Amino acid sequence: MLAYIIRRLLLMIPTLFGIMVVSFVVVQSAPGGPVEQLLNQITGLEGSATQRVSRGGGETVGGAGGGAKTGSGQSAGGSKYRGAQGLDPAFIKELEKLYGFDKPAHERFWLMMKNFVRFEFGESFFKNRAVVDLVIEKLPVSISLGLWTTLLVYLISIPLGIRKAVRDGSRFDAWTSGVVIVGNAIPSFLFAVLLIVLFAGGSFVDWFPLRGLTSEGFDQMSFLGKAADYFWHIALPIVALVVGGFAGLTMLTKNSFLDQIRMQYVSTARAKGLTENQVLYGHVFRNAMLIVIAGFPSAFVGILFTGSLFIEVIFSLDGLGLLGFEAALNRDYPIMFGTLYVFALLGLLLNLLGDLMYVIVDPRIDFESRRV
């Protein structure tokens, strides 16, 4: 087992490197980088916007006020930036140096990876804060959504899937399959909009808050008051994620149990006089739940890093999803690449954990003979 773990850890290095290379090429090829974003703000807000390139209250690049323009109104003709008209080319070069675009793309990539290996992700272009600090600040919100959603999805899907397998073909199986199909067909963010319309002051009642994870004065509340306020705010986002995410696991559980129920050892156990519950939970459950339990890490990653993105934006929850969404809009490369690196690394580690959980659930499984 140790040799297998070492091989998997070594394989993560080229995998992570490949993810970063592809992402870097795609993002760098997209129009509207951080320099162009800032130039658009400068041309829209006159020279006062140049203050945004200052560092810690120091001297601004290109001078204050209208210092970004040349005295004769000379244009930066031929510039590769669409918002550079009327700005001094020297000022644009200062912006490129500020954001690291004065170096070739391959040099920027190797410098980025060298820093990322040491978990140094730099500072946000537009928030003037370290990326690590921003991630740590936003992480609790996303973890709350991911953990509660994953827990509820498993608590609902596993019993429902078992029940559907036991009563396969019955009326109960038919109408619950309809519910599962609806849940699988409609994205979670559409459920979120529907819940807002129904319960958050849309067209019907106003029972739940629409923004944030806590109310004003949260720190002054009692413990029970804090718990009630927290669950009051998180109720609708969690419901939207659970409704949109339980379908796949339910059908996986049902099909896994059906496969095991049709095995010969089940008929043998029944022939020995064991009750249906003894057969189901004493023999079938362990084998059937192998793939379901082992998939917990990947399910959590999927909910945490993909499913909650639109939910955080819709409900204005200040988590990693909203942070990444804003970073993509603003072309805030340190946040984009820093969070991508962390998420990719975490996803690879959790995939390895998923394999190891197979052994925990069923010790008969041995990965030593596998090559990767």
Side-chain angles (χ1 to χ4, degrees), residues 283-307:
H283 294 75
V284 175
F285 185 84
R286 181 175 182 176
N287 294 326
M289 290 305 296
L290 176 62
I291 188 172
V292 177
I293 296 177
F296 180 87
S298 58
F300 174 72
V301 171
I303 293 172
L304 179 61
F305 299 137
T306 58

Side-chain angles (χ1 to χ4, degrees), residues 100-311:
F101 285 87
D102 57 327
K103 302 180 180 65
H106 67 279
E107 290 186 16
R108 298 200 308 270
F109 177 78
W110 286 113
L111 180 61
M112 180 185 73
M113 292 304 299
K114 179 180 178 181
N115 293 330
F116 281 11
V117 169
R118 303 193 299 266
F119 289 92
E120 296 177 0
F121 304 114
E123 290 189 358
S124 165
F125 286 160
F126 299 102
K127 293 181 180 292
N128 293 325
R129 293 184 57 189
V131 174
V132 173
D133 294 339
L134 287 170
V135 171
I136 293 175
E137 178 183 312
K138 313 297 183 183
L139 193 58
V141 175
S142 297
I143 288 181
S144 294
L145 289 175
L147 285 178
W148 285 114
T149 302
T150 306
L151 177 63
L152 290 177
V153 164
Y154 268 74
L155 289 178
I156 294 172
S157 299
I158 291 177
L160 180 59
I162 294 174
R163 189 67 173 171
K164 285 175 64 62
V166 173
R167 302 185 60 179
D168 183 43
S170 66
R171 180 176 297 180
F172 171 83
D173 181 45
W175 72 262
T176 53
S177 294
V179 175
V180 169
I181 291 173
V182 172
N184 189 51
I186 302 179
S188 59
F189 68 87
L190 289 183
F191 279 115
V193 174
L194 177 63
L195 292 174
I196 290 174
V197 172
L198 294 177
F199 303 112
S203 302
F204 294 88
V205 297
D206 189 7
W207 291 347
F208 294 92
L210 187 58
R211 299 178 60 87
L213 202 59
T214 57
S215 301
E216 294 183 6
F218 179 80
D219 294 334
Q220 285 71 44
M221 297 179 183
S222 63
F223 175 78
L224 293 179
K226 289 181 178 179
D229 183 75
Y230 168 76
F231 286 111
W232 183 46
H233 280 77
I234 208 172
L236 293 186
I238 293 298
V239 170
L241 286 170
V242 170
V243 171
F246 82 102
L249 184 60
T250 298
M251 297 309 299
L252 177 64
T253 303
K254 175 190 175 181
N255 294 332
S256 181
F257 267 79
L258 283 177
D259 288 342
Q260 294 298 320
I261 288 173
R262 294 164 182 165
M263 293 290 183
Q264 182 62 42
Y265 74 89
V266 175
S267 300
T268 303
R270 287 170 176 166
K272 291 181 179 179
L274 298 180
T275 65
E276 193 64 24
N277 283 339
Q278 288 176 325
V279 172
L280 188 62
Y281 296 103
H283 294 75
V284 175
F285 185 84
R286 181 175 182 176
N287 294 326
M289 290 305 296
L290 176 62
I291 188 172
V292 177
I293 296 177
F296 180 87
S298 58
F300 174 72
V301 171
I303 293 172
L304 179 61
F305 299 137
T306 58
S308 63
L309 169 59
F310 289 115
I311 299 301

